[in-house]
Amino acid sequence: MAESMSLLWGAGSCPSWRLMLTLEEKNLQGYRQKLISFEKNEHKSQEVLEINPRGQVPTFKYGDIILNQSTGACLYLENQFKAQGTKLIPDDPAKQAMMYQRMIEGLELTEKLNWVVYYEFLVPEGERHDAALQRHRDTLTTELKLWEGYLENVAEGSYLAGPFSLADVVGFPNVAYAFRFGLSPERYPKLAKYYNLLKDRPTIKATWPPHWFESEQGFEALKDV
């Protein structure tokens, strides 16, 4: 099965990570893959654009099926391979509802992180304003405090919606990304506890962004958030 799958991905990209993590959790190793360089603008190359006209990664193919939206691809893989690997969508209706809620909310966190970490990349130089960046920082602070509150009510040893699920597939890369960019574990102890609970999970270690192995922390864009 995995031999008929191919993936173009970017290191450190939360969408790429969540899809690779799903493939790992579903025991779908052995797919064809290629690391795309953002620095060389390869995500805008013809190779990517032929599959994904948005010029983004990940781009995923399974036979003739193309899925370029990472969360959609994760849902597709779980539904196609329900009996294989980790069960990522619980059967219990209440737990399933919570899983979907946290999974989709995780996409909100990704966007708010990006607006702070990549503000100078996303906004042309002449359009940047300190007040706008501060608004993004304040919005992110509010979002992070919300997740601190969610984790306050999580049972000991549990994850975002009970057992490991698609909520964590989306959520963990966000949290790892935040601490990579200097988020304070003292200011956000519940998020730090969640990060430490999952960072050594074999599937997470197997899909860890390769350049992150060189150092535990990257930049400090979030140190004062």
Side-chain angles (χ1 to χ4, degrees):
M1 291 173 288
E3 311 82 54
S4 58
M5 298 177 180
S6 62
L7 175 70
L8 302 178
W9 62 285
S13 154
C14 286
S16 292
W17 196 354
R18 66 179 70 121
L19 179 49
M20 296 175 79
L21 183 52
T22 299
L23 287 162
E24 198 72 23
E25 291 284 347
K26 301 309 293 182
N27 294 334
L28 291 168
Q29 300 89 350
Y31 55 90
R32 299 186 304 277
Q33 58 173 290
K34 181 177 180 180
L35 175 60
I36 295 298
S37 170
F38 295 120
E39 290 76 15
K40 296 178 182 177
N41 215 35
E42 290 178 349
H43 55 298
K44 302 300 182 183
S45 67
Q46 192 61 32
E47 180 182 15
V48 174
L49 290 171
E50 284 178 356
I51 306 171
N52 185 354
R54 293 183 184 274
Q56 299 171 340
V57 291
T59 66
F60 177 70
K61 289 186 71 177
Y62 177 28
D64 294 327
I65 295 169
I66 296 175
L67 282 160
N68 293 321
Q69 207 291 329
S70 61
T71 310
C74 294
L75 286 164
Y76 174 81
L77 289 169
E78 170 61 19
N79 282 307
Q80 289 298 307
F81 302 99
K82 288 181 180 179
Q84 184 169 316
T86 307
K87 187 176 181 63
L88 295 173
I89 299 177
D91 290 325
D92 179 80
K95 291 179 180 177
Q96 189 177 114
M98 177 62 73
M99 187 283 299
Y100 281 119
Q101 178 73 22
R102 295 291 180 261
M103 179 185 71
I104 300 302
E105 283 186 288
L107 303 179
E108 292 280 336
L109 178 54
T110 304
E111 182 178 4
K112 289 168 184 174
L113 282 166
N114 284 342
W115 271 111
V116 175
V117 172
Y118 292 126
Y119 180 74
E120 292 187 1
F121 175 78
L122 293 169
V123 181
E125 185 175 358
E127 299 176 21
R128 297 173 197 158
H129 300 283
D130 290 343
L133 176 57
Q134 188 58 51
R135 281 197 301 273
H136 288 305
R137 291 169 64 85
D138 291 343
T139 298
L140 177 58
T141 298
T142 300
E143 182 74 17
L144 290 167
K145 288 180 178 178
L146 192 64
W147 287 90
E148 276 286 296
Y150 291 159
L151 288 164
E152 184 76 42
N153 299 315
V154 170
E156 188 70 28
S158 293
Y159 306 117
L160 288 174
F164 190 88
S165 70
L166 286 178
D168 304 291
V169 165
V170 173
F172 180 82
N174 290 333
V175 175
Y177 181 77
F179 286 116
R180 169 76 178 174
F181 279 86
L183 191 71
S184 168
E186 291 76 24
R187 199 172 296 129
Y188 297 98
K190 297 298 182 183
L191 284 166
K193 184 177 180 180
Y194 172 74
Y195 171 76
N196 288 317
L197 182 66
L198 274 175
K199 67 183 177 67
D200 292 324
R201 186 178 177 89
T203 54
I204 286 173
K205 295 191 78 170
T207 53
W208 199 259
H211 64 291
W212 288 16
F213 286 115
E214 298 169 11
S215 62
E216 290 188 2
Q217 189 169 327
F219 304 99
E220 297 186 334
L222 302 179
K223 70 175 184 177
D224 297 322
V225 170

